[in-house]
């Protein structure tokens, strides 16, 4: 979720793609591989209060992904609270090694969900699904994760 997705992308870039020192520009502004970087709209912002990417934004899900199976729809809206994003400059490199962009903004510019190819269930999202989840009706990603964990425990795929 949000920073967790960003850290997963950093870890994948470092240890699967071999980009030693890959990082988020939030943590290391001088990294040679800023796989997570400040949004373009945030570059000139000096007074940070209330200037994040806040609120609901559209997301288009890729067919055939775990996310598509979880949601059951192609287009949705999720809530955000951040100013750093997946850096599209590194998208081809990470995709070549198995990082799937499972969800993005309708124009494809903002990565919203990533998955790991061949993993039983690895889904990481930029948005905050906890904002729309409750004990009686879990968010689709949470429900899908719990079902996958139970199936794995029972030896099912």
């Amino acid at each position: 979720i949000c920073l967790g997705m960003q850290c997963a992308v950093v870890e994948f870039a470092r240890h699967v793609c071999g980009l030693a020192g890959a990082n988020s520009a939030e943590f290391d502004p001088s990294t040679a591989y800023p796989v997570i970087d400040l949004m373009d709209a945030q570059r000139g912002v000096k007074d940070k209060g209330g200037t994040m990417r806040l609120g609901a934004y559209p997301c288009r899900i890729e067919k055939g992904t775990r996310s598509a199976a979880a949601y059951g729809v192609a287009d949705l809206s999720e809530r955000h609270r951040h100013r750093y994003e997946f850096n599209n400059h590194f998208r081809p490199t990470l995709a070549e090694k198995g990082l799937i962009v499972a969800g993005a903004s309708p124009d494809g510019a903002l990565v919203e969900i990533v998955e790991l190819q061949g993993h039983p269930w690895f889904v990481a999202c930029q948005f905050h699904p906890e904002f729309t989840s409750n004990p009686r009706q879990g968010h689709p990603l949470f429900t899908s994760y719990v079902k996958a964990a139970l199936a794995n425990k029972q030896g099912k795929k």
Side-chain angles (χ1 to χ4, degrees), residues 38-54:
L38 191 63
M39 297 172 64
D40 287 338
Q42 293 287 315
R43 295 205 183 277
V45 176
K46 301 230 184 306
D47 184 11
K48 301 288 188 193
T51 62
M52 300 183 169
R53 181 177 179 214
L54 292 168

Side-chain angles (χ1 to χ4, degrees), residues 1 66-67 102 113-116 119 121-125 141 144:
I1 297 173
R66 286 177 182 76
S67 298
I113 306 171
V114 297
E115 298 182 6
L116 291 183
H119 191 279
W121 199 99
F122 182 98
V123 177
C125 58
L141 293 181
S144 175

Side-chain angles (χ1 to χ4, degrees), residues 99-117:
L99 189 75
I100 299 165
V101 174
S105 58
D107 65 1
L110 301 173
V111 173
E112 301 285 8
I113 306 171
V114 297
E115 298 182 6
L116 291 183
Q117 185 176 20

Side-chain angles (χ1 to χ4, degrees), residues 64-75:
T65 61
R66 286 177 182 76
S67 298
Y71 280 103
V73 298
D75 293 301

Side-chain angles (χ1 to χ4, degrees), residues 6-148:
Q6 294 176 4
C7 291
V9 169
V10 168
E11 181 73 10
F12 188 85
R14 288 177 182 177
H15 295 101
V16 176
C17 298
L19 301 176
N23 215 329
S24 168
E26 182 176 15
F27 306 137
D28 181 3
S30 63
T31 180
Y33 305 109
V35 294
I36 303 296
D37 206 356
L38 191 63
M39 297 172 64
D40 287 338
Q42 293 287 315
R43 295 205 183 277
V45 176
K46 301 230 184 306
D47 184 11
K48 301 288 188 193
T51 62
M52 300 183 169
R53 181 177 179 214
L54 292 168
Y57 286 87
C59 177
R60 182 156 294 143
I61 304 294
E62 286 295 316
K63 292 177 185 173
T65 61
R66 286 177 182 76
S67 298
Y71 280 103
V73 298
D75 293 301
L76 50 112
S77 179
E78 291 288 1
R79 293 180 58 188
H80 291 259
R81 186 181 184 279
H82 61 95
R83 62 175 42 98
Y84 286 82
E85 289 277 356
F86 185 106
N87 184 342
N88 284 316
H89 174 75
F90 295 96
R91 201 164 167 174
T93 302
L94 277 63
E96 183 180 296
K97 295 291 188 173
L99 189 75
I100 299 165
V101 174
S105 58
D107 65 1
L110 301 173
V111 173
E112 301 285 8
I113 306 171
V114 297
E115 298 182 6
L116 291 183
Q117 185 176 20
H119 191 279
W121 199 99
F122 182 98
V123 177
C125 58
Q126 178 63 65
F127 49 83
H128 288 268
E130 74 276 15
F131 290 157
T132 57
S133 194
N134 66 63
R136 292 202 169 105
Q137 185 171 356
H139 184 280
L141 293 181
F142 295 157
T143 301
S144 175
Y145 173 70
V146 170
K147 286 179 180 177

